[in-house]
Amino acid sequence: MAWLYQGTGRVTGAEETDAGHMTVLVKNVTATLTVKNSRFLAELLPCNSQQDARELLKSQKAKYKDAAHVVHAFVVGADAQIRGMSDDGEPSGTAGRPVLDVLCNASCTNALLTVTRWFGGTLLGTGGLVKAYGDAAKLAIAAAVENGAFAEFFETRSFSFSVDYARYEKIKRMMKQFSVSDMRESFGSRVEVSGVIHTDEYDLFATALVDASGGAIVLF
């Protein structure tokens, strides 16, 4: 589900998330802003890697071929340490940088923020562009906070194992005690199980699997 938040140009600093507490974007958010007849569409999109950001950006540009610019910034990684941005033809430093600054100030990760501009016929100047792109980005962050699009960030680790059918149901019940997500099962001569788990639970999870299976299951 994508949430819509509209703005008319006035933006305060209240849209920033709690500083120092890392969150992760979990759903799409949309915000709009109009400045001197130029329309700005800001969209927050979840992404898990730099490659994800590239693919999403490619899709955004294809979707908005009639727009003058599709500016973007992204942050990914446990500490939002992987970052990127582009002015997409706007004067250097007037578009991608203010959008990235908003993302960084929001203490979030795994997010791509695109701001698409349809030119309204009036030049905004460098200062006007910085303010317009920054304000559009802030509106998107405000909408995300208001509508619960951010969740607490947990570093995760992938796992996989193989289990025989006799132990499968018991193991499946045991796994409900842990923060397991994206679980996949393949049924053949044995059940192949894979997924992700919070990193701080991984060692305990591995031990629980060994105990529950009498040493027959080992993570790999």
Side-chain angles (χ1 to χ4, degrees), residues 30-111:
T30 301
T32 61
L33 177 69
T34 301
V35 180
K36 294 184 179 179
N37 295 322
S38 279
R39 184 162 68 94
F40 296 84
L41 173 65
E43 295 177 274
L44 270 167
L45 307 167
C47 65
N48 294 317
S49 67
Q50 192 170 358
Q51 183 60 37
D52 278 354
R54 290 195 192 100
E55 292 299 322
L56 287 167
L57 179 61
K58 182 178 178 181
S59 176
Q60 291 290 86
K61 288 188 172 184
K63 186 190 304 183
Y64 303 122
K65 290 181 179 179
D66 62 328
H69 308 277
V70 181
V71 169
H72 84 278
F74 70 86
V75 289
V76 295
D79 299 310
Q81 72 274 20
I82 303 172
R83 304 171 182 179
M85 63 180 180
S86 171
D87 295 309
D88 194 39
E90 294 281 29
S92 179
T94 64
R97 170 55 63 182
V99 172
L100 180 61
D101 286 345
V102 170
L103 270 181
C104 292
N105 289 336
S107 298
C108 67
T109 190
N110 291 8

Side-chain angles (χ1 to χ4, degrees), residues 133-147:
Y133 278 104
D135 284 355
K138 288 177 182 178
L139 284 171
I141 295 295
V145 172
E146 180 178 340
N147 294 291

